[in-house]
Amino acid sequence: PELKDLNSSMTTSEMAREVEELRKDCASYTEKLERIKSATNHVTPEEKEKVCSEQKLYCKEWRRRKRMATELLEAILEGYPKSKKQFFEEVGIETDEDHNVTLPVAV
C-alpha cells in the first residue's frame, strides 16, 4: 500500500511546477484585487438609493396594473360561458404564472 501511495503521488519537479503555477495565480488574483480596490467607478450611495427607489416604483406599478387587469378579466369572466383558461387561450392572454415570473422582493 505504501508503494502504491508513493507511485501515485507527485514527483518533486511536478510539485515545484504546481507551486509555481499557484504562485502565479495568487499574484494575478492579488493584482486583480488591487485594481478592484483602487477603482474609482464605485456606485455612490445616492445612485444606489435612486436605483432602489425606481425599482420600488416599478414594482408598485406592476402590482397595480396586474391587480387592475385581474379585476377587469374577472368582470369579463362573470358573463363568459367558458372557463377562465379557455378564455385566456381564445384571447391570447399570457400571465406571469404561465412564465414563472414573480415580482422582485422589495429592497
Side-chain angles (χ1 to χ4, degrees), residues 51-75:
V51 169
C52 288
S53 65
E54 285 178 359
Q55 184 199 22
K56 288 177 187 176
L57 175 70
Y58 295 142
C59 288
K60 181 180 174 182
E61 190 66 21
W62 183 356
R63 283 187 189 92
R64 187 179 71 81
R65 290 180 182 200
K66 184 173 180 173
R67 184 176 55 249
M68 287 173 36
T70 303
E71 290 172 359
L72 181 64
L73 290 170
E74 292 297 327

Side-chain angles (χ1 to χ4, degrees), residues 83-101:
S83 71
K84 180 178 182 178
K85 185 176 179 179
Q86 289 173 328
F87 174 70
F88 281 15
E89 286 177 10
E90 283 181 20
V91 177
I93 296 174
E94 297 176 348
T95 63
D96 294 340
E97 291 76 20
D98 292 341
H99 296 282
N100 297 322
V101 176

Side-chain angles (χ1 to χ4, degrees), residues 22-39:
L22 291 172
R23 283 190 177 138
K24 287 179 184 175
D25 288 347
C26 183
S28 69
Y29 290 138
T30 303
E31 182 183 327
K32 186 176 180 181
L33 178 62
E34 289 304 317
R35 280 196 317 261
I36 291 171
K37 284 182 177 180
S38 67

